[in-house]
Amino acid sequence: MLRNSRPWFFENSRIPVWLSYLAPIDIGAITIGPFVFSRGEMSEETKNHEAIHWQQYIETGIVGFVILYYLFWFFNLIKYREGKRAYYEIPFEREAYVHDWDLNYLKTRKRFAWIREGGHMGAGIILMAFEDNEPKILGLIGDAKHQKKHGAIYDLPKGTIDPGESSWDGAVRETYEETSIIIDKGDIIAGPVNDSWLTMWMAEVPIETSVHIGVNPVTGKLEHGGYRWLTKEEALSNSYPYLRSFVEWAFDHI
């Protein structure tokens, strides 16, 4: 019964605006117990994101969610010393951000999925190339929604591992789906490296390699709005905050 429970949605609310003054991000929507408040109209992905949070509330006894949420944020702030990064590294947020695009996720989601015991839910391949002897990383231009959500422009080739799929197979598949570049193990120059949910490898390709932005097989929409080969400084300042540790690692190992 509770697995099918959905929160109540309230659009055009001032609550996210007020709470943004206290938060490290600009809040568009927020779940408070069984209620979701948004400053404007919500997309289906945003509703899915917040519905995932409601299931997390249920699993942790509502009050437990609030306590754990702020404990995670506090310890992440000590670890990363950056408010936005601390927010994105909260396990509750990682699960919601990874799966909010999948509108069928809650139908098959396992209880306490945010804990991710012993597993990695995403994988990808960082693509590096040299231009005039300068290393550059392939940055994929996010759509307007994700740029606003993350306060940055660039994504890396990666995505969610399919059920029964290995991290390596998922990384190869996602890289091909998002860039049309086929990578085999002989192209890998470093990795794997991982955090609590994402495993990444690094491959070197020629700078003239053709990049074609693919269509998401689930949504039927373009995966990204384009691409650019970025210097280290450009990538660190303009990639999604939760990916910047991977950017740093890539330039340290090229």
Side-chain angles (χ1 to χ4, degrees):
M1 184 73 174
L2 289 176
R3 287 184 180 276
N4 297 321
S5 173
R6 293 293 183 269
W8 286 279
F9 298 100
F10 298 91
E11 298 178 321
N12 301 308
S13 168
R14 296 294 296 171
I15 290 176
V17 178
W18 297 331
L19 292 179
S20 290
Y21 291 110
L22 304 174
I25 63 163
D26 190 27
I27 298 173
I30 188 169
T31 301
I32 303 176
F35 308 109
V36 177
F37 302 93
S38 73
R39 63 172 65 198
E41 294 184 2
M42 283 180 272
S43 67
E44 291 304 311
E45 289 185 2
T46 298
K47 289 181 179 179
N48 195 40
H49 183 108
E50 303 304 331
I52 292 170
H53 282 325
W54 170 232
Q55 288 298 311
Q56 295 164 347
Y57 265 102
I58 291 171
E59 292 163 352
T60 51
I62 299 183
V63 173
F65 176 90
V66 177
I67 294 171
L68 286 172
Y69 193 99
Y70 285 101
L71 281 175
F72 283 131
W73 185 84
F74 177 74
F75 287 117
N76 286 341
L77 189 61
I78 294 174
K79 181 178 181 181
Y80 300 110
R81 300 193 180 280
E82 181 186 350
K84 282 188 177 182
R85 177 74 185 280
Y87 161 77
Y88 286 118
E89 292 290 346
I90 294 170
F92 298 127
E93 294 297 346
R94 283 203 304 262
E95 182 193 2
Y97 277 116
V98 168
H99 293 288
D100 58 10
W101 64 274
D102 182 359
L103 301 184
N104 293 315
Y105 174 65
L106 286 170
K107 295 179 181 178
T108 58
R109 176 185 181 269
K110 294 182 179 180
R111 279 296 182 207
F112 299 96
W114 52 273
I115 298 177
R116 299 179 183 88
E117 293 182 359
H120 301 288
M121 301 181 71
I125 299 175
I126 298 169
L127 300 176
M128 302 290 292
F130 282 88
E131 186 174 46
D132 298 327
N133 295 319
E134 181 182 13
K136 292 192 173 182
I137 190 170
L138 183 68
L140 302 176
I141 299 173
D143 59 24
K145 183 196 73 172
H146 285 90
Q147 288 191 37
K148 182 177 180 180
K149 178 187 291 186
H150 297 297
I153 299 171
Y154 298 105
D155 195 1
L156 297 175
K158 52 100 180 88
T160 306
I161 299 168
D162 287 341
E165 188 176 45
S166 69
S167 293
W168 168 252
D169 288 340
V172 172
R173 175 184 54 76
E174 287 288 346
T175 301
Y176 175 73
E177 288 178 357
E178 295 188 348
T179 69
S180 297
I181 296 175
I182 299 174
I183 297 295
D184 60 40
K185 289 190 175 179
D187 300 314
I188 298 300
I189 57 176
V193 63
N194 54 61
D195 63 12
S196 57
W197 73 272
L198 180 62
T199 300
M200 299 289 276
W201 285 262
M202 179 168 61
E204 183 180 344
V205 298
I207 192 71
E208 64 271 13
T209 298
S210 177
V211 179
H212 178 72
I213 302 300
V215 173
N216 187 296
V218 176
T219 66
K221 299 177 182 179
L222 284 175
E223 292 273 8
H224 297 90
Y227 71 93
R228 274 193 60 201
W229 289 103
L230 306 170
T231 64
K232 180 178 181 179
E233 292 72 22
E234 290 171 332
L236 285 176
S237 61
N238 292 302
S239 62
Y240 296 164
Y242 70 93
L243 294 174
R244 290 174 189 173
S245 62
F246 292 101
V247 172
E248 189 80 49
W249 171 82
F251 280 95
D252 287 344
H253 290 81
I254 187 67

